[in-house]
Amino acid sequence: MNVFDILLISWVFSFLVIAVSWVIFSRFSIPAIDKRMAEAGAPKSCPIDIMGLRVFTIANAISLPVGNPLNHRHDPFIDVDTVRKYVTPTEKRLGLILSLSIYTFLTLTIVASFYIPDK
């Protein structure tokens, strides 16, 4: 087993984690957050959904610390401070799992591209 095989197994595992956490987060957490926000009279958490960007944006907004390049207060897609008020700790953890698995997947993709075996 070489480095590429280990990276490939890790890549597939992180993709499966993304798939499961994405479905759970988008089907259960986001509707609950939107419902709590609507009941409080707040606007929709992220009105723009461009091929799943809404799920990823909300996951980043609730799980990552505010003030870094991945999650900043002046995000044009989402009002980070408002969304954070209506999130439960479980939803925050699930968003963290989704965010970390996506960033792990992207990192593994870049690193593995340097180890693709020659034919």
Side-chain angles (χ1 to χ4, degrees), residues 21-30 55 59 62 91 94-95:
S21 62
W22 191 289
V23 168
I24 293 170
F25 189 74
S26 66
R27 294 295 173 210
F28 299 108
S29 297
I30 290 181
V55 175
I62 65 174
E91 293 165 346
L94 189 56

Side-chain angles (χ1 to χ4, degrees), residues 2 11-12 14 17 19-20 24 29 47 52 60 97 118:
N2 58 19
W11 185 81
V12 169
S14 68
V17 172
V20 171
I24 293 170
S29 297
N60 277 342
I97 291 169
D118 295 331

Side-chain angles (χ1 to χ4, degrees), residues 1-42:
M1 186 173 274
N2 58 19
V3 174
F4 182 74
D5 294 338
I6 294 169
L7 289 171
L8 183 62
I9 291 168
S10 302
W11 185 81
V12 169
F13 178 74
S14 68
F15 181 77
L16 293 174
V17 172
I18 290 171
V20 171
S21 62
W22 191 289
V23 168
I24 293 170
F25 189 74
S26 66
R27 294 295 173 210
F28 299 108
S29 297
I30 290 181
I33 294 167
D34 286 341
K35 182 180 177 186
R36 277 181 282 208
M37 290 181 74
E39 289 171 353

Side-chain angles (χ1 to χ4, degrees), residues 60-73 75 80 84:
N60 277 342
I62 65 174
S63 64
L64 299 178
V66 177
N68 64 49
L70 302 175
N71 188 22
H72 53 89
R73 291 195 196 290
D75 192 331
V80 176
R84 284 176 168 249

